[in-house]
Amino acid sequence: MTTREIEKRTDALLNAVKLKRTGPRRVVLAALLRAAEPQSAEQIAVKLGTSAPNKVTVYRTLETFVNADVVHKAFLQKRTWYYEPADKCTDTQCHPHFTCTHCGDTHCLTEMSIPLAESPYKGFVVHRQQVRLEGLCPDCA
Amino acid sequence: MTTREIEKRTDALLNAVKLKRTGPRRVVLAALLRAAEPQSAEQIAVKLGTSAPNKVTVYRTLETFVNADVVHKAFLQKRTWYYEPADKCTDTQCHPHFTCTHCGDTHCLTEMSIPLAESPYKGFVVHRQQVRLEGLCPDCA
DNA sequence: AGCCAAATGCAACTAAGCTGCAAGTAGTTT
DNA sequence: AAACTACTTGCAGCTTAGTTGCATTTGGCT
Ligand SMILES: [Mn+2]
Ligand SMILES: [Mn+2]
Ligand SMILES: [Zn+2]
Ligand SMILES: [Zn+2]
């Protein structure tokens, strides 16, 4: 996507969920759309450099996006939260994330579809699932 | 398991992985064996009360157990680490954990087996997977 | 242009965990 | 049994990642 396309998509997404199109929201959402992998608040701030909003605003903005379901938290077995645009996820699951045990890199496996697990337990109703994969990436295999 | 059985199992596990059988290790591992669900360092300390080791020791002990593969970190959508004995996990995955979106409780689904995902991506070699389920528990459904 | 609820920035605070180092102890050796 | 010592523990202080309260600013509306 070009810079111009990202800007258009950012505004369209903010409009769609009826959030004010403020400076901080535009740049934070654009940073997520540009990234190939889930990003932490810290990573976003670093990438934005001098145009980064106050860090409290970054945290609050990301939380706002999650509540509006424009962005999801990706749980990567790390101590910090990572965020990504929600558009490559279905109602019942986000795409799996693969982390290489050798180089530590994480990759979105958006083409992969894993059927929703059926619980053999009486009474448990499963609505969503998250899958995390570990192994060796193409570079390290 | 009775208290006596827990004590025996604790010592047997520590011996098996060649870790010294110290007071802190015995009580922390016993607390995990007694629990039905993954526990945080804080939860363990609270349950142990006055016999809890120093909190730094609890952290270090849990990390030691993970390195020795006696204990695993559970894949939960929380900001703190949760730990559980590794004996109900296979080489390729831990059993899934189910979290109820209504009451917030987490349950170990040890009877559930999910086939290891096959990556459609060239070059990615999957060694392990972790699955987290969300929905309604029997009490809340 | 003026209004105002919503958004932002700043300072202070907190939860969860980590580091350095001195003191203690489990398991071994004599 | 006593001595040895590498591993383990406890304490003080530090760090990371995020939160809260509150005063100031601004986007969207009239
Ligand atoms: Mn992703
Ligand atoms: Mn479990
Ligand atoms: Zn790799
Ligand atoms: Zn419930």
Side-chain angles (χ1 to χ4, degrees), chain B residues 20-33:
Chain B
K20 284 187 187 174
R21 282 153 296 157
T22 66
R25 286 181 183 164
R26 282 183 217 250
V27 294
V28 170
L29 189 49
L32 288 180
L33 291 172

Side-chain angles (χ1 to χ4, degrees), chain B residues 7-32:
Chain B
E7 278 172 21
K8 279 194 144 178
R9 180 126 185 71
T10 299
D11 277 15
L13 282 172
L14 291 174
N15 281 337
V17 294
K18 297 191 176 56
L19 289 174
K20 284 187 187 174
R21 282 153 296 157
T22 66
R25 286 181 183 164
R26 282 183 217 250
V27 294
V28 170
L29 189 49
L32 288 180

Side-chain angles (χ1 to χ4, degrees), chain B residues 2-135:
Chain B
T2 66
T3 304
R4 193 76 203 89
E5 281 166 344
I6 297 254
E7 278 172 21
K8 279 194 144 178
R9 180 126 185 71
T10 299
D11 277 15
L13 282 172
L14 291 174
N15 281 337
V17 294
K18 297 191 176 56
L19 289 174
K20 284 187 187 174
R21 282 153 296 157
T22 66
R25 286 181 183 164
R26 282 183 217 250
V27 294
V28 170
L29 189 49
L32 288 180
L33 291 172
R34 257 182 266 116
E37 309 304 335
Q39 304 285 303
S40 66
E42 170 71 13
Q43 285 177 323
I44 291 169
V46 168
K47 285 194 179 159
L48 293 178
T50 54
S51 59
N54 180 281
K55 70 169 186 150
V56 179
T57 302
V58 175
Y59 287 127
R60 287 198 281 228
T61 299
L62 289 167
E63 200 55 33
T64 300
F65 290 164
V66 169
N67 290 334
D69 208 41
V70 189
V71 162
H72 286 161
K73 286 181 183 178
F75 178 59
L76 303 177
Q77 187 84 281
K78 311 212 176 177
R79 268 195 18 81
T80 53
W81 294 120
Y82 283 72
Y83 300 85
E84 64 182 351
D87 56 359
K88 283 170 188 149
C89 308
T90 70
D91 273 357
T92 54
Q93 66 190 309
C94 296
H95 54 270
H97 289 111
F98 178 98
T99 301
C100 177
T101 49
H102 187 253
C103 67
D105 278 6
T106 292
H107 302 264
C108 298
L109 305 192
T110 52
E111 300 303 311
M112 194 159 176
S113 108
I114 297 179
L116 186 65
E118 276 288 328
S119 160
Y121 293 82
K122 268 197 272 296
F124 285 91
V125 184
V126 179
H127 289 152
R128 279 186 71 76
Q129 78 180 1
Q130 284 176 304
V131 177
R132 196 183 80 85
L133 301 172
E134 246 180 43

